[in-house]
Amino acid sequence: MSAHDPSKLLIVDDLPENLRALDALIRDEQRLVFQAQSGEEALSLMLEHEFALAILDVQMPGMDGFELAELMRSTSRTRNIPIVFVSAAGRELNYAFKGYETGAVDFLYKPLDPDAVRSKVHVFVTLDQQRREMQRQMEALEAARREQEVLLGELNATQAELQRSLRMRDEFMSLVAHELRTPLNTLFLETQMRSLQLKRGNLPAFNPDQMNSMIKRDERQIKAMIRLIDDMLDVSRMKSGTLSIRPAKVELMALLERVVNDLSLQAAAAGANVVLAAHHPVEGFWDEFRIEQVVVNLLTNAMRYGGGGAVEVSVYDEGCNVRIAVRDHGKGIAPDYIERIFEPYERGTKSGEPKGLGLGLYISRQLAVSHGGQLTVESTPGQGATFSLVLPCTETALQPAAAPA
């Protein structure tokens, strides 16, 4: 009941004329008056409504006013309803004393004084309105307190996330500097060595075999820097929604065979063995370069964290989709880390050292989404992890560009 709703009053008397007279005396716009002609009827009304005051006639057949009051005081639902007794009996019967014993707040004798009755009813109606207003304010305060707790929790979470983002930003800048410095230092040292050989006139040091080896080393370092820069550019394009996808007809198994073959030396260096399960040719409309980028990321990730075991690549037909599964047999991923590995700049560890910028899986998932597919992972700690790239084979499922992150 709202604090602005009318207060409810209950009048109990076995005589209808008395009820009508009392109702006319106390009724107004701020009050709803309920009538009962017996104690049983009054109790039934009290179970349905919350009354600000009950005016009970003492002398009623069956259950009298005192018995009704005792029943009211014995039940939590009606215990706190103020009771005013009304009696036509003389004062010498000492009904007032008994009425106060049963919990009455006042006792009136008939014939009633209209002004006194209105005054007393007005007091209890005012108290009821004040009580309900206080209750409303308490509920509002409690709701505000709960809302503040929620906001405080959100603020703390936001602050923690901000601190984490700042920490990740600092780590990222440090890693970028480190990742760029390594190939640049190698190129710089190679250049110094060649300059020294030239100054000494040691031309045999530049024979075709030596020169070919130098060029290959330079290419590896330059490609490492280009790959790093490309990853950062891809993230920037994804966040701005400007990453373009150029779909064309692609035969998937040929793409996978080429990638596995290209990574064979890297797999051997990591002590891993990449196995591609046989499957019939699968054609779809994809950006071949981007799908190859995702597969390379997944295989590189599996070789890095697979513990040097076998890396299994399998292809499955799933209706209009094709699923590429890359499974390793490493330590697996903790359940609370499953989704975090797809966030930018999140990196796994190997021998306690972070590897890369933590962009590979983030970019891969965004590329999967851009093709109308998805990239997920299932893992049990100690039993490795299986990354699943699901791609639609139809051209209509492709998205025009990566959605902004």
Side-chain angles (χ1 to χ4, degrees):
M1 180 184 292
S2 168
H4 304 291
D5 292 337
S7 295
K8 295 180 179 180
L9 306 176
L10 176 63
I11 54 178
V12 185
D13 198 306
D14 61 307
L15 298 177
E17 58 271 21
N18 289 345
L19 290 174
R20 288 194 296 271
L22 188 54
D23 185 300
L25 185 62
I26 64 176
R27 181 181 294 274
D28 70 10
E29 295 179 354
Q30 296 298 318
R31 304 165 191 173
L32 287 178
V33 181
F34 292 79
Q35 301 179 10
Q37 290 186 255
S38 67
E40 291 80 2
E41 185 180 353
L43 288 174
S44 178
L45 287 171
M46 290 179 193
L47 294 176
E48 297 179 16
H49 304 279
E50 184 179 347
F51 290 106
L53 177 65
I55 303 177
L56 312 182
D57 184 47
V58 172
Q59 296 167 306
M60 293 186 296
M63 184 188 302
D64 63 22
F66 297 136
E67 292 172 332
L68 175 58
E70 290 177 356
L71 286 175
M72 290 172 60
R73 293 295 174 253
S74 65
T75 306
S76 59
R77 169 75 178 177
T78 58
R79 182 176 298 140
N80 296 319
I81 299 177
I83 298 174
V84 172
F85 282 118
V86 176
S87 175
R91 297 177 183 269
E92 66 277 3
L93 294 179
N94 209 18
Y95 275 0
F97 180 76
K98 186 176 181 181
Y100 291 128
E101 274 191 333
T102 56
V105 296
D106 207 343
F107 201 100
L108 302 176
Y109 290 94
K110 297 178 182 179
L112 298 175
D113 181 349
D115 292 332
V117 172
R118 293 193 191 96
S119 176
K120 293 180 185 297
V121 170
H122 176 73
V123 169
F124 288 107
V125 168
T126 302
L127 289 174
D128 178 64
Q129 294 286 341
Q130 292 174 347
R131 176 185 62 80
R132 283 188 283 153
E133 176 61 23
M134 184 177 297
Q135 183 178 359
R136 186 194 64 80
Q137 292 177 357
M138 292 296 292
E139 290 173 352
L141 286 173
E142 178 62 20
R145 184 190 65 79
R146 290 194 298 268
E147 184 177 354
Q148 287 179 348
E149 287 182 351
V150 172
L151 292 174
L152 182 60
E154 293 176 351
L155 178 61
N156 290 336
T158 302
Q159 185 176 12
E161 183 62 26
L162 177 60
Q163 292 175 347
R164 174 172 169 269
S165 298
L166 292 174
R167 185 174 64 254
M168 289 175 63
R169 181 203 62 184
D170 294 340
E171 292 177 1
F172 173 69
M173 297 303 296
S174 175
L175 280 167
V176 169
H178 173 76
E179 294 288 332
L180 283 174
R181 184 182 295 276
T182 300
L184 282 173
N185 282 343
T186 303
L187 286 173
F188 181 69
L189 290 174
E190 288 280 355
T191 303
Q192 284 187 318
M193 289 296 296
R194 293 168 202 168
S195 297
L196 182 61
Q197 296 291 355
L198 287 172
K199 287 179 181 179
R200 292 177 177 178
N202 186 12
L203 295 180
F206 299 96
N207 63 63
D209 291 339
Q210 292 287 345
M211 185 63 70
N212 186 52
S213 178
M214 292 177 189
I215 292 173
K216 286 184 177 179
R217 286 198 300 269
D218 290 349
E219 285 180 347
R220 284 197 300 270
Q221 304 307 324
I222 293 171
K223 285 181 179 178
M225 289 187 288
I226 291 174
R227 185 166 59 250
L228 175 67
I229 294 170
D230 284 344
D231 281 351
M232 291 189 292
L233 287 175
D234 280 346
V235 170
S236 178
R237 294 187 189 107
M238 287 172 181
K239 290 190 174 182
S240 63
T242 58
L243 180 69
S244 62
I245 300 296
R246 299 178 178 87
K249 185 175 289 188
V250 178
E251 203 288 291
L252 181 62
M253 295 309 297
L255 182 152
L256 294 177
E257 290 171 1
R258 182 177 69 250
V259 171
V260 169
N261 183 65
D262 291 345
L263 294 178
S264 58
L265 293 178
Q266 184 177 338
N273 179 32
V274 181
V275 179
L276 174 60
H279 193 276
H280 61 77
V282 178
E283 288 190 345
F285 289 89
W286 310 303
D287 186 323
E288 183 172 5
F289 172 76
R290 293 302 186 181
I291 297 303
E292 181 175 334
Q293 183 180 357
V294 175
V295 174
V296 169
N297 280 336
L298 295 181
L299 288 177
T300 304
N301 190 71
M303 290 185 288
R304 180 177 295 162
Y305 303 109
V311 176
E312 302 162 4
V313 184
S314 305
V315 176
Y316 303 92
D317 296 311
E318 296 182 347
C320 296
N321 299 327
V322 60
R323 179 166 66 90
I324 307 166
V326 177
R327 181 184 180 190
D328 65 64
H329 298 273
K331 294 182 179 180
I333 307 169
D336 58 346
Y337 206 69
I338 288 288
E339 285 303 313
R340 284 185 57 187
I341 63 174
F342 292 102
E343 296 178 9
Y345 317 126
E346 283 290 346
R347 302 176 307 282
T349 58
K350 183 180 180 183
S351 303
E353 294 295 329
K355 299 291 183 179
L357 297 180
L359 297 175
L361 290 177
Y362 168 76
I363 292 172
S364 297
R365 172 169 275 188
Q366 297 301 315
L367 290 176
V369 172
S370 298
H371 282 79
Q374 59 180 342
L375 177 62
T376 58
V377 63
E378 294 181 358
S379 179
T380 301
Q383 299 181 24
T386 300
F387 286 83
S388 293
L389 172 63
V390 178
L391 296 171
C393 296
T394 57
E395 191 172 8
T396 55
L398 289 170
Q399 302 296 322

